[in-house]
Each structure stands twice: as structure tokens, then as C-alpha cells.
Amino acid sequence: MTRRLAPERDGDAGVTLLEVVVALAVIAAALASLLAFFVRAVETTRVHTDRQAATRYAVVAMERVSLLPGTAVLVNRPHAAVQAQWSRSRPPQVDALLAATRTEMAWSAQTAAVEGLPTAPERVTDGGAPTKFTRHWYVGRCWQQPTGGDCVVVPAAQRPARVAMFRVVVAVQWASADCDGGQCFHVESMLANVDRTDPAFE
């Protein structure tokens, strides 16, 4: 009787499969690290781009103020609207500039069919298209020494000896998880002589 011998098993087959699994695991880990790096890079770029855009929109706003003659910064800013605006929550950077010792609330009953500085939040447009950024305008008064220096609120008796100025503050706001409360702000301010000399950035 002829006996058939069972074929020999390849002892290396299991080892080869294990090596493939290990190699795949190493590749997966490397790809995961690269993906995480890529996501962080994209996020960092987005944050930087947003802040650059906010800065640009704030600078454009300051240029807009510099073109307004005299007390035109108060046109279409009635007392009730300004009071309501100043009573709303503001970012800390704006609060510091509008502190009672630094800035006195300013308003005017004057109205005109011109583009003033609105008391309501204003959606920023770029090339005619709306963006995710919102602009807030604040206007107040302060008084500065004729020789310059800090512009602050002083008693009425001291005001004739000082230069009356408007402090214009613009806050550009946008939603982002990178900032406290999910809202980011970029704030710029400038001083403009009530009698309309060249404005000065603070």
C-alpha cells in the first residue's frame, strides 16, 4: 500500500503576515501624525489669515474716519442709539478705551444723508460681497494738553485750556473657536480734533 505524505507547511507564512500587519500599523501611525500636522498647519494659516483680514478692515475703517470733516463723526448718532450701544457688552480692549476716565460718551441730533459711523453692528463687505466680519463703531470725547500726551476726561473748568478731541474706536469681530467665548476682536482707535485737524492713531 502506498502512503501519501502530507505536504510540509511553510513555517514562514505566519511570520510574513505578521510583518505585513506591523508594517501597515507603522504606516498608519506615520500617516496619522502627518494628518495631524497638516490639520494644525491649515488651522494656523486660517487663524493668521483671519487676523490679517480683521486688521485690514480696521485700518480701512480708520481711513474712512479720516475723510470725515469736523463733527461729521457724530452725524446720525442720536443720544438714545449711542446710549444703547454703550450699554451693550463690549470686548475688554474697547472697555479700556471707553473707560469713564478716558472717554466721555458723545452724540448729536444732527442727521444727514451721508454715510456716517453707525451705532448698530455693521457687516463688513469685501468687493461688494459680505464677509464673516462685523464692525462696531464707538465715538466719544476726551481732552488733551496743547502739547500732546494722553487724552482723558477732565472737569469742565479745565476743558477750555485743553484741546477737545474725538476718540473713535473700531472693533472688528468674527466667530472663531480660537478666542474666548468663540468671538474674536481686533480693535483700533484714533484721535480726531473736534476742529478737524489731521487725526492721530493711538
Side-chain angles (χ1 to χ4, degrees):
M1 179 181 293
T2 303
R3 299 180 62 185
R4 293 184 178 180
L5 299 177
E8 293 184 1
R9 293 184 178 180
D10 188 354
D12 292 336
V15 175
T16 302
L17 179 60
L18 179 60
E19 289 176 345
V20 170
V21 171
V22 171
L24 289 175
V26 171
I27 292 173
L31 289 176
S33 298
L34 287 174
L35 180 61
F37 174 78
F38 177 75
V39 170
R40 285 196 300 270
V42 170
E43 185 66 15
T44 300
T45 301
R46 182 192 61 77
V47 171
H48 183 65
T49 300
D50 283 349
R51 293 201 175 278
Q52 276 190 324
T55 301
R56 178 163 57 88
Y57 294 140
V59 170
V60 169
M62 293 292 98
E63 292 173 352
R64 173 174 158 185
V65 172
S66 69
L67 298 176
L68 295 175
T71 57
V73 295
L74 295 181
V75 170
N76 300 327
R77 294 181 65 88
H79 180 234
V82 172
Q83 196 168 42
Q85 181 195 31
W86 283 47
S87 66
R88 291 194 290 266
S89 177
R90 303 184 299 250
Q93 307 97 302
V94 174
D95 278 339
L97 290 166
L98 300 185
T101 56
R102 289 180 57 81
T103 309
E104 182 179 271
M105 188 170 63
W107 65 89
S108 173
Q110 181 183 2
T111 59
V114 297
E115 184 182 21
L117 308 180
T119 55
E122 174 188 52
R123 178 67 66 182
V124 177
T125 59
D126 197 336
T131 69
K132 66 178 181 179
F133 298 89
T134 303
R135 196 158 40 205
H136 304 261
W137 301 89
Y138 304 89
V139 183
R141 283 191 176 89
C142 59
W143 288 262
Q144 191 177 48
Q145 292 281 7
T147 54
D150 199 12
C151 194
V152 295
V153 176
V154 296
Q158 298 179 19
R159 294 178 183 181
R162 292 182 174 240
V163 180
M165 307 286 283
F166 287 122
R167 173 172 280 122
V168 181
V169 180
V170 61
V172 178
Q173 177 184 9
W174 69 101
S176 174
D178 305 297
C179 300
D180 293 340
Q183 295 294 320
C184 298
F185 290 89
H186 178 81
V187 177
E188 296 280 352
S189 67
M190 66 185 296
L191 297 174
N193 193 303
V194 171
D195 296 325
R196 192 68 267 165
T197 58
D198 291 337
F201 289 91
E202 292 191 283

